[in-house]
Amino acid sequence: MNEKPLLALDIGTRKVAGLVALPHQRGLRILAACIIQHPDRSMVDGQVHKIEAVAEVVCQVKRELEKASGLKLTHAAVAAAGRALLTESAESRKQFPFITEITQAQVQEMELAAARAAYHRVQSGNERATLHCVGYSPVRMLLDNQRMDELAGHQGRDVTLEVLATFLPRQVVDSLLAVLRRADLQATTLTLEPIAAMEATIPPDLRRMNLALVDIGAGTSDIAVTRDGSVFAYAMVTEAGDEITESLCDHYLLEFAEAERVKRQLEIAGNKPLEFKTLLGQALRHTPAEVSAALEPAVNKLARAIAERILTLNGGAPKAVIMVGGGSATPGLGALLAQALGMDATRVGVRGPDTIPDLEDATGVLNGIEAVTLLGIAFSTLRGRGLNFFNVHVNGQAVQLLALHDTSTILDALVSSGHEIKRLYAKPGRAVTYTLQGKLQVARGMAGTPSVMLVNDRPAGLESPLVEGDSLTIQEAMDGEDAVLHSDSIPKPVGPVWCSINDRHEDLTLVLTLNGEPVSGNVLIQDRAELEWVSDRMLGELYPELASSGYELAFQVRVNGEVRRWDEKQLSITANGKAVGMEYRPRPDDRIEWKRTGAAVRVKDLVGPLITPARMTVLVNGQPKTLDYGGSRILVNGHPAQLSDLLPDQADVKVEKHADDAPILSQVLEGVPLVPPPSGGSLKLTVDGQPAGFTTPLRDGAKVTVAFV
């Protein structure tokens, strides 16, 4: 047995209680004890909200205990309240080649193995939250398929042990550890408050009975239920002592601290009248019976909440209910709880420190029922029921890890120390995407510098194991530099550059255009730019004769108010089969044809360029796709007209464009496989990283992803 003094701390919603004890025979001898109330509501429902304020009270308790015991205190055993509690059961099995005596060390090893299995099971169902195991209780032990109450010392070949493990979110445990660090304390063991209370008040021989233990604190009421020699269920309700205090505040218009004082006086007042002041300064005087009557609705609500949870866990009323914690002293609570459970009132009661065997305490501080959880923390540590911590350093910062997993890793240490995991991975610099001669191009950013991890100055990775005393050094990753692209770096077509005009080669001198405009100087290229190498002269400049008008006029029309005169022969120019005008700049390898025809003039001959649909390019799963959209309405002399209609002389033509109707997502899905893979999955569509549907409108440059997940 460890003969070193142990420090136990009960960091509660209303108070911090601590004791220093020595193992004594089969129990504990208390050397010093101290209880100090929080000056404000720095804890809510058993959870730390103001770390510095709570740490200050812990420091005061620590100083008082050091003064009374004459010891330097550096390590502490603690317990966590059960808010946001999760439970999971799992078992471990050990088979021996021959009959073997089972040791206590082997039992503890199997308990931890079962707790680890429960951890992996419950964590797999809660991927969004990191959980910590805060305690476990054996619920079933088999030796060669025979039920046992204890395994250590017995002989056999086939051992099975099942535990019920309890889990809380990482933040709950981390806040407790943060408080201890500020008080220059390291956590030695961690348990759950109802597990601790069970260790102190219900010895193993009593757990054969179907009992419910309720630890009623200020913020939470924690429940544990026993049957057939083990604890088989844990739970928590959020109603507790604070709800009673708040009821006093509301009924008598009191400040919270004053209401808390009145509630404590009520517990010990007997028949003596209670005197207190409202928040407006009005002095009040009431008998304990009057105050109790005012509290009855709140007490009844608390009793019903606890009863409902017990009935759900147990499938009915237990044989008896044992209450501990400061809230169990609330007048009338026991009777109302018995009534809610349908039990005789004699079956609901409290067990205080005076019922704990093997306890030697001459301090006089731990006489009340509010001390039971604190004593339970100490007994849990003494009996090896708590979970142990071990210490490592991360960039010189001390970090404590729970010794629950098969191996604790660098990843565990980084999470516990608050490091952002994403800062371990370097992001490449942002790329610049652009089109050159209509083809998508990418100028990539620089690759980043990866993180460096060293354990005791040796290279390591996130899954590298850690042991007590390891020193971990982390050099965070550095993101790469963004791509920078200038026009001078755009490659120019090499060799002779020419186009074909009416089957005659025409050499071209090229200039670079950015979004349709010639580039002057060395300019910065922005993302999604459109670049083209084109002739430095337009067709009308290359062939001035195309602009000559030595033809007899046939007629004239107005197009959107602009007068157009039409020759007997019509000039037609195409580039690669598409109609262009004399302002067109030839591209390398263009095939350009022009001719004059005397055909009748139709609407399409005059307004064709005006009704060209709008065009945009989007990326579908990284591949560019061009869409035409929008439309036009044509009126000739005020009447709707078709493109094939003949134009009369002096016609008044109006073209009303409707290019605002943006295309929708379904228009780009042609050719994209929408059949789920054999592994199954549901269709997921996004536009620019946002969830989308078939009717989601698109914009130029939009990034569309289509996938089955």
Side-chain angles (χ1 to χ4, degrees):
M1 181 180 293
N2 186 1
E3 298 295 334
K4 293 182 179 179
L6 65 90
L7 166 63
L9 291 175
D10 178 13
I11 304 175
T13 303
R14 286 287 148 261
K15 60 170 176 41
V16 176
L19 65 81
V20 179
L22 277 173
H24 177 65
Q25 297 178 0
R26 298 186 50 153
L28 289 172
R29 179 162 61 90
I30 308 301
L31 302 180
C34 177
I35 300 175
I36 297 178
Q37 302 292 320
H38 292 292
D40 57 18
R41 302 187 74 176
S42 51
M43 293 188 62
V44 178
D45 292 345
Q47 293 190 27
V48 177
H49 279 225
K50 301 177 182 178
I51 291 177
E52 298 295 341
V54 177
E56 178 55 35
V57 179
V58 172
C59 287
Q60 294 177 34
V61 171
K62 174 188 172 185
R63 287 193 293 268
E64 291 293 329
L65 294 176
E66 287 181 333
K67 180 179 178 181
S69 66
L71 299 171
K72 176 65 175 176
L73 303 176
T74 58
H75 294 74
V78 293
R83 187 169 181 84
L85 178 70
L86 294 175
T87 61
E88 186 66 59
S89 59
E91 65 178 37
S92 65
R93 185 179 183 186
K94 187 181 287 288
Q95 294 177 301
F96 300 96
F98 45 83
I99 295 177
T100 303
E101 180 176 336
I102 311 303
T103 66
Q104 184 61 36
Q106 289 171 327
V107 172
Q108 291 179 340
E109 179 185 348
M110 293 183 68
E111 289 176 348
L112 280 174
R116 283 195 293 268
Y119 170 81
H120 293 306
R121 185 178 300 170
V122 74
Q123 186 67 73
S124 66
N126 291 270
E127 297 178 354
R128 294 185 177 182
T130 302
L131 302 173
H132 273 329
C133 179
V134 291
Y136 59 85
S137 297
V139 297
R140 186 169 63 96
M141 291 177 278
L142 298 177
L143 181 61
D144 295 333
N145 293 320
Q146 297 296 315
R147 187 85 180 237
M148 305 289 290
D149 291 335
E150 294 284 346
L151 288 172
H154 293 280
Q155 295 184 341
R157 296 182 60 183
D158 190 353
V159 185
T160 300
L161 188 148
E162 181 182 1
V163 303
L164 179 66
T166 57
F167 302 90
L168 289 174
R170 178 181 63 85
Q171 293 87 342
V172 176
V173 178
D174 286 352
S175 62
L176 276 177
L177 298 181
V179 167
L180 293 182
R181 284 196 297 270
R182 283 161 174 76
D184 292 328
L185 290 171
Q186 291 186 5
T188 54
T189 60
L190 172 70
T191 188
L192 190 69
E193 288 181 357
I195 295 178
M198 182 73 67
E199 284 293 325
T201 57
I202 304 181
D205 58 326
L206 291 182
R207 298 176 197 175
R208 292 180 176 275
M209 293 187 286
N210 184 202
L211 304 176
L213 172 72
V214 185
D215 182 0
I216 307 170
T220 61
S221 297
D222 298 309
I223 301 169
V225 187
T226 68
R227 185 170 59 205
D228 298 330
S230 63
V231 181
F232 73 90
Y234 293 102
M236 178 276 304
V237 293
T238 55
E239 286 82 2
D242 276 358
E243 277 65 32
I244 308 303
T245 306
E246 289 169 356
S247 177
L248 275 175
C249 293
D250 294 340
H251 188 83
Y252 291 112
L253 203 61
L254 305 179
E255 293 183 357
F256 190 88
E258 179 72 353
E260 185 73 15
R261 183 187 67 81
V262 173
K263 185 179 74 171
R264 294 183 179 279
Q265 284 188 341
L266 179 63
E267 296 168 0
I268 60 174
N271 295 321
K272 184 179 178 182
L274 301 173
E275 297 179 352
F276 45 92
K277 287 186 178 183
T278 70
L279 60 85
L280 299 176
Q282 181 183 6
L284 299 179
R285 178 184 176 92
H286 289 279
T287 66
E290 291 172 333
V291 177
S292 296
L295 288 178
E296 184 172 353
V299 177
N300 193 37
K301 181 182 177 183
L302 172 59
R304 289 199 309 271
I306 295 172
E308 284 180 13
R309 191 56 58 90
I310 291 175
L311 293 172
T312 300
L313 292 174
N314 197 52
K319 294 294 183 183
V321 177
I322 298 171
M323 299 189 300
V324 299
S328 61
T330 302
L333 177 58
L336 290 172
L337 180 56
Q339 180 181 336
L341 289 167
M343 300 172 58
D344 189 283
T346 59
R347 295 286 181 133
V348 178
V350 299
R351 281 175 69 90
D354 57 314
T355 65
I356 302 176
D358 306 319
L359 176 64
E360 181 182 318
D361 177 23
T363 65
V365 176
L366 306 177
N367 296 327
I369 51 178
E370 69 276 2
V372 169
T373 300
L374 174 63
L375 291 166
I377 296 170
F379 274 103
S380 294
T381 304
L382 176 70
R383 296 165 183 166
R385 307 304 307 174
L387 293 167
N388 295 321
F389 288 86
F390 70 93
N391 301 291
V392 298
H393 284 82
V394 178
N395 288 347
Q397 172 191 351
V399 176
Q400 292 190 291
L401 301 177
L402 277 168
L404 173 66
H405 313 291
D406 299 305
T407 54
S408 290
T409 65
I410 287 179
L411 179 59
D412 297 321
L414 295 179
V415 171
S416 294
S417 61
H419 274 72
E420 293 186 53
I421 303 303
K422 65 181 181 181
R423 296 173 68 179
L424 301 179
Y425 299 96
K427 294 188 299 183
R430 286 177 294 184
V432 175
T433 60
Y434 62 100
T435 58
L436 181 60
Q437 308 304 113
K439 295 182 179 180
L440 182 66
Q441 307 289 330
V442 179
R444 302 189 181 279
M446 299 292 290
T449 303
S451 62
V452 176
M453 305 179 197
L454 303 174
V455 176
N456 303 326
D457 296 327
R458 294 182 179 179
L462 281 177
E463 298 303 320
S464 298
L466 297 174
V467 298
E468 172 72 33
D470 274 350
S471 177
L472 172 61
T473 302
I474 300 294
Q475 180 179 324
E476 294 179 347
M478 294 181 62
D479 294 342
E481 295 181 1
D482 295 341
V484 178
L485 183 66
H486 287 88
S487 58
D488 279 0
S489 62
I490 302 302
K492 191 173 185 178
V494 296
V497 179
W498 52 270
C499 69
S500 170
I501 301 180
N502 283 357
D503 295 327
R504 187 180 72 185
H505 284 197
E506 184 74 32
D507 291 332
L508 300 177
T509 301
L510 299 181
V511 295
L512 183 67
T513 61
L514 171 61
N515 299 328
E517 298 296 329
V519 172
S520 176
N522 185 23
V523 300
L524 182 67
I525 305 301
Q526 302 293 337
D527 194 40
R528 301 180 182 177
E530 295 180 359
L531 301 174
E532 278 193 295
W533 289 104
V534 300
S535 171
D536 63 344
R537 291 184 292 170
M538 295 183 288
L539 272 177
E541 296 170 324
L542 286 169
Y543 287 88
E545 64 271 22
L546 293 178
S548 65
S549 55
Y551 295 88
E552 184 181 350
L553 296 177
F555 60 88
Q556 69 179 26
V557 296
R558 287 181 178 271
V559 180
N560 289 343
E562 179 184 356
V563 175
R564 299 281 184 93
R565 291 178 174 83
W566 206 261
D567 294 337
E568 288 182 348
K569 293 187 177 182
Q570 177 186 355
L571 177 64
S572 171
I573 307 174
T574 61
N576 306 314
K578 293 183 180 181
V580 296
M582 287 186 292
E583 71 282 358
Y584 178 74
R585 292 178 181 269
R587 277 69 169 166
D589 300 326
D590 270 356
R591 182 177 181 84
I592 298 173
E593 294 181 344
W594 64 270
K595 60 184 177 179
R596 294 185 184 274
T597 63
V601 179
R602 300 181 183 274
V603 172
K604 65 179 179 180
D605 299 325
L606 190 64
V607 303
L610 297 178
I611 62 172
T612 302
R615 176 167 292 181
M616 68 167 59
T617 300
V618 299
L619 295 178
V620 182
N621 288 344
Q623 298 298 316
K625 190 162 187 178
T626 301
L627 294 174
D628 291 337
Y629 66 99
S632 303
R633 179 168 177 256
I634 305 171
L635 300 175
V636 176
N637 296 328
H639 299 286
Q642 303 296 321
L643 291 174
S644 58
D645 292 348
L646 292 171
L647 277 175
D649 190 23
Q650 303 299 321
D652 184 12
V653 181
K654 292 184 179 179
V655 179
E656 299 175 350
K657 302 197 70 174
H658 303 283
D660 294 331
D661 298 325
I664 59 175
L665 181 55
S666 61
Q667 294 175 241
V668 302
L669 297 182
E670 183 179 354
V672 178
L674 298 181
V675 179
S679 59
S682 59
L683 179 65
K684 181 180 180 182
L685 303 173
T686 67
V687 175
D688 293 329
Q690 300 298 315
F694 288 107
T695 60
T696 299
L698 299 176
R699 63 169 183 80
D700 189 35
K703 297 180 180 178
V704 177
T705 59
V706 182
F708 281 88
V709 296

